Amino acid sequence: MNSKARITGIGSYVPYKELTNQDLEQVVDTNDEWIVKRTGIRKRILYIKRELSNQLEPRVTGWLGQQEHTKLQHDYSLFASATRRFETGLPSFISIYAAYEGIKLLREVGVDNIELHIKKLSQFTVRYAQKKGLKVSTPPSDKFLTSIIAIELNNASCVAKLLKQENIVVSARNDSIRIAPHFYNNEEDIKYAIDQLLKIKSEY
């Protein structure tokens, strides 16, 4: 007996609600690097039939799942439409207050003044590090100089942790220590940071 099969049609569907890590960055205090490093997730999809989404009530909800993000009632919920009603979490309200004060301070000091101060501190950081015998991998030319100065160093992660114990905040990237002066720093801060780095380097 011969069996035959015939394809009469094909179809596909791509869910319209795709939430990326970049989307999350806009509403909560997180970033793509943090999420990927810990979970490997770059995007996620919530699929519900469009005609059913408004009929379902979430068992767990949050501020972002409401019609108005700033209004979450404890005794009842006014869910948002479609799949947005299944979102949890809340807007980063505290960031709004922090950003307001930060922007106010920046305007008081002046962006141009900050840029000039950081440029001078960056130049000083390069010169002082080189003077102390450290190898700076950041291009020293003023044309390419950035506010992040990379100093090559073995065991950079360990050194960064020890510097933090001295209230010196730097970042470690592979075999480099990054020093990033800002407008609230001065040359004495830079000297102290590099001198402590050298002290730890000699003892490590």
Side-chain angles (χ1 to χ4, degrees):
M1 177 175 140
N2 294 327
S3 298
K4 294 183 179 180
R6 182 174 63 182
I7 298 175
T8 59
I10 60 174
S12 63
Y13 178 77
V14 178
Y16 64 92
K17 182 61 178 177
E18 179 180 276
L19 189 66
T20 67
N21 294 344
Q22 285 72 28
D23 294 327
L24 290 176
E25 289 177 3
Q26 306 303 314
V27 292
V28 295
D29 184 15
T30 188
N31 59 65
D32 179 71
E33 181 183 3
W34 192 94
I35 296 172
V36 172
K37 184 176 180 181
R38 288 160 177 79
T39 68
I41 298 173
R42 294 187 181 277
K43 60 184 178 182
R44 69 284 299 148
I45 293 173
L46 174 63
Y47 172 70
I48 301 171
K49 284 187 176 180
R50 190 185 298 267
E51 59 270 22
L52 293 179
S53 60
N54 286 327
Q55 300 177 30
L56 301 176
E57 291 192 358
R59 295 290 298 273
V60 178
T61 189
W63 297 72
L64 297 179
Q66 308 303 303
Q67 290 181 12
E68 296 185 50
H69 288 172
T70 57
K71 294 182 179 179
L72 175 62
Q73 306 296 328
H74 293 287
D75 50 350
Y76 69 94
S77 292
L78 294 175
F79 296 116
S81 60
T83 55
R84 193 167 68 79
R85 62 176 47 208
F86 295 96
E87 294 187 21
T88 57
L90 74 161
S92 184
F93 295 117
I94 192 171
S95 298
I96 297 173
Y97 290 98
Y100 174 79
E101 293 299 328
I103 292 171
K104 185 168 70 172
L105 178 59
L106 290 175
R107 294 185 65 181
E108 289 175 0
V109 177
V111 174
D112 291 339
N113 293 331
I114 293 172
E115 179 184 11
L116 181 61
H117 181 71
I118 292 176
K119 184 177 181 179
K120 289 181 178 179
L121 271 187
S122 298
Q123 293 169 338
F124 177 80
T125 304
V126 171
R127 291 196 305 269
Y128 192 74
Q130 291 176 334
K131 177 182 177 182
K132 292 293 184 174
L134 295 169
K135 186 176 180 180
V136 178
S137 54
T138 301
S141 170
D142 289 347
K143 182 179 180 181
F144 301 105
L145 186 63
T146 70
S147 59
I148 300 176
I149 311 303
I151 299 174
E152 294 185 17
L153 197 69
N154 294 329
N155 302 312
S157 295
C158 294
V159 173
K161 291 178 182 178
L162 293 172
L163 284 172
K164 190 174 182 180
Q165 295 177 8
E166 302 296 328
N167 295 320
I168 300 171
V169 179
V170 298
S171 62
R173 294 292 188 276
N174 297 321
D175 292 330
S176 292
I177 288 287
R178 287 184 175 182
I179 297 178
H182 217 300
F183 75 93
Y184 41 75
N185 294 122
N186 55 38
E187 292 184 359
E188 293 304 314
D189 293 335
I190 303 300
K191 286 182 178 180
Y192 180 72
I194 291 177
D195 289 345
Q196 289 299 310
L197 186 153
L198 288 167
K199 180 181 178 183
I200 292 171
K201 180 175 178 289
S202 65
E203 296 174 349
Y204 197 80

